[in-house]
Amino acid sequence: MWYNGLLDLSVMQLVLVTLVMTHITIVSVTLYLHRHSAHNSLDLNPVLKHFFRFWLWFTTAQNTKEWTAIHRKHHAKCETKEDPHSPVVMGIKKVFWQGAELYAESATPETLERYGQRTPEDWLERRVYTPHKELGIVFLAVMNLALFGVNGIWIWAIQMMWVPFWAAGVINGVGHWFGYRNYECADNARNISPIGFLVGGEELHNNHHTYPNSSKLSRRWFEIDIGWGYIRLFQLFGLAKPKGYRPIAHCVPGKQDVDVETVQAIANNRFDIMRQYRKRVMEPVLRQQKTLMDDEIRPRYRKLKQLLSREVTLIKPREKEQLETVLENYAALRQIYEKSLELQALWRQRGLKPQEKLQALMAWCKEAEASGIRYLEEFAEHLRAYSLRPSA
Ligand SMILES: [Zn+2]
Ligand SMILES: [Zn+2]
């Protein structure tokens, strides 16, 4: 006879218990390690914070300083040789299957020293969590065996694989490889799915890399970040305080004048501005041009659509050539592409004084309004309405 443990649960109940426990682990990773510790975009009540820290030690053997340092380094060195886990550099297979090993390899003393600032160094950390990292998961195994009997073994195995698979493999691997991009951030981050539930909202990785200081990872009306749901719930009880999620620019209806604040608001909101430029200018002009395209170019329409709005540093040399060939033949496309680069120069060009930026934006709007391309004219009018403050 199998020993069924103190709780003697049915298989369905065991599956449910496993899913609940692994979900708590995922919530601890996204809220505590990621949003609170690595990005400081969320304040947590000390008791709740400690619960998460304890739970991660108990169920994953994950150390706060190590995780935080490696993750901060990932943002700082994204898609370069120094990125601890870039599928663009190392290949998707390596990051997907060996994500957890990559973490262990990257936790060098230099990385911990440089990127591991502002992480716990209290008595418990120094005496228990750090020196006895693996003790938690040993206790977990004992608890599983006592509560669930022999079934506790497979539950434990799933718990050990959950974070390495979902966070290290899926988010760090697939999240920089496959999915949709709301924003053209400077790295290859992608939103894997608009519903962020299984991995606590981390699925919305393109949004996160674009706005790393926001505690909210969803951006569009159809996107769901379950982690944000928990933050709001904890906030209701005074246990959490989110940061960095409020709008950084406002559209004031009827505003016509371009001023220094307009420039600032546009620069703050640059990723969203470029997304809007894609939707409001590039896509409609491209649709118009499609009818004029010859048989050689039309099959590459989708690719062309992507390239026109792709972050310039991510365009490969061969793609650049393809793009150039098309732009040579279609004047309207060249015009909207050049206007897009000029607009980006507002925040890309270093050393420009606020007044110079203002002049540049005013000139941009004037030229756009005289371009004869209706969508571009309307976009210039839309830009004028931007302000740092909402309308009174
Ligand atoms: Zn990433
Ligand atoms: Zn991050």
Side-chain angles (χ1 to χ4, degrees):
M1 214 12 221
W2 289 108
Y3 169 59
N4 284 329
L6 297 169
L7 297 179
D8 197 10
L9 301 178
S10 71
V11 174
M12 274 308 286
Q13 287 170 324
L14 287 169
V15 170
L16 204 68
V17 165
T18 310
L19 288 177
V20 169
M21 286 203 290
T22 48
H23 189 67
I24 297 173
T25 304
I26 286 290
V27 173
S28 307
V29 171
T30 182
L31 260 55
Y32 169 70
L33 286 179
H34 193 200
R35 304 185 209 203
H36 166 74
S37 179
H39 291 288
N40 192 25
S41 67
L42 175 69
D43 286 340
L44 288 168
N45 165 283
V47 177
L48 183 62
K49 184 157 63 176
H50 201 112
F51 167 76
F52 287 141
R53 181 148 70 107
F54 161 78
W55 187 260
L56 287 162
W57 171 76
F58 185 48
T59 63
T60 69
Q62 186 62 65
N63 175 273
T64 304
K65 196 185 203 69
E66 281 180 15
W67 197 98
T68 302
I70 291 162
H71 186 72
R72 285 180 186 156
K73 190 176 182 186
H74 163 60
H75 277 271
K77 306 283 179 188
C78 206
E79 327 289 24
T80 68
K81 283 206 168 69
E82 285 178 82
D83 185 339
H85 44 69
S86 166
V88 176
V89 176
M90 302 172 180
I92 180 70
K93 271 192 199 151
K94 186 162 178 84
V95 180
F96 188 78
W97 294 113
Q98 296 169 33
E101 281 114 311
L102 290 173
Y103 263 84
E105 281 166 24
S106 339
T108 61
E110 299 79 54
T111 299
L112 298 188
E113 167 76 26
R114 169 121 198 248
Y115 296 99
Q117 312 282 328
R118 297 189 314 277
T119 46
E121 278 167 3
D122 53 13
W123 184 90
L124 259 172
E125 195 63 53
R126 282 183 282 113
R127 292 299 178 89
V128 184
Y129 294 156
T130 299
H132 305 289
K133 238 171 95 176
E134 269 89 29
L135 195 61
I137 53 174
V138 174
F139 285 150
L140 180 74
V142 174
M143 185 196 84
N144 280 4
L145 283 171
L147 295 180
F148 316 122
V150 181
N151 287 309
I153 298 170
W154 62 257
I155 295 178
W156 189 83
I158 290 174
Q159 285 174 303
M160 292 306 103
M161 286 183 321
W162 205 261
V163 169
F165 180 76
W166 288 109
V170 173
I171 300 302
N172 293 345
V174 183
H176 281 262
W177 192 258
F178 186 79
Y180 68 98
R181 276 165 78 82
N182 278 339
Y183 307 104
E184 284 301 311
C185 57
D187 51 60
N188 203 35
R190 277 140 201 282
N191 293 333
I192 301 172
S193 149
I195 312 294
F197 180 83
L198 259 175
V199 204
E202 296 290 337
E203 291 90 336
L204 297 158
H205 207 59
N206 171 257
N207 296 356
H208 171 58
H209 269 259
T210 308
Y211 299 103
N213 299 321
S214 168
S215 48
K216 183 182 180 206
L217 307 186
S218 56
R219 286 273 152 184
R220 297 173 68 190
W221 64 269
F222 55 84
E223 292 171 343
I224 294 173
D225 165 16
I226 184 78
W228 178 247
Y230 289 122
I231 290 173
R232 285 303 214 192
L233 188 69
F234 289 133
Q235 194 181 15
L236 223 66
F237 297 99
L239 299 173
K241 198 173 146 222
K243 297 189 269 189
Y245 66 96
R246 292 207 164 83
I248 40 189
H250 302 271
C251 246
V252 179
K255 181 175 166 295
Q256 298 275 317
D257 306 322
V258 175
D259 48 33
V260 178
E261 278 203 10
T262 318
V263 181
Q264 190 60 51
I266 288 173
N268 285 355
N269 206 28
R270 56 190 177 273
F271 294 106
D272 193 52
I273 296 283
M274 292 322 295
R275 198 179 80 77
Q276 292 179 41
Y277 191 82
R278 184 175 80 206
K279 293 272 162 216
R280 293 173 173 224
V281 181
M282 282 180 166
E283 288 180 6
V285 172
L286 201 55
R287 268 197 300 275
Q288 280 180 340
Q289 297 288 309
K290 194 178 181 182
T291 49
L292 308 171
M293 282 177 186
D294 57 40
D295 293 343
E296 204 186 320
I297 293 176
R298 207 176 299 119
R300 284 184 277 148
Y301 178 79
R302 268 176 69 109
K303 178 78 184 168
L304 180 64
K305 190 166 136 183
Q306 283 174 353
L307 285 181
L308 275 175
S309 53
R310 169 88 18 106
E311 152 68 32
V312 276
T313 54
L314 297 181
I315 300 181
K316 298 181 184 105
R318 200 171 44 84
E319 294 173 329
K320 209 171 191 163
E321 268 174 39
Q322 290 173 348
L323 187 60
E324 272 303 319
T325 323
V326 176
L327 295 182
E328 264 167 32
N329 293 310
Y330 298 90
L333 291 184
R334 172 168 288 279
Q335 208 174 351
I336 58 163
Y337 188 65
E338 280 174 357
K339 290 308 277 179
S340 132
L341 297 182
E342 278 172 31
L343 189 57
Q344 292 176 58
L346 270 187
W347 51 84
R348 282 183 193 269
Q349 229 173 55
R350 305 216 166 228
L352 280 186
K353 295 192 182 81
Q355 275 304 324
E356 290 171 328
K357 287 185 185 176
L358 174 61
Q359 295 300 330
L361 180 62
M362 284 163 80
W364 192 95
C365 287
K366 263 212 172 96
E367 279 173 35
E369 280 156 358
S371 65
I373 299 177
R374 178 164 61 93
Y375 302 106
L376 202 50
E377 291 165 22
E378 286 169 0
F379 195 76
E381 198 178 315
H382 169 66
L383 282 188
R384 286 177 184 276
Y386 268 92
S387 169
L388 287 175
R389 283 162 291 194
S391 53

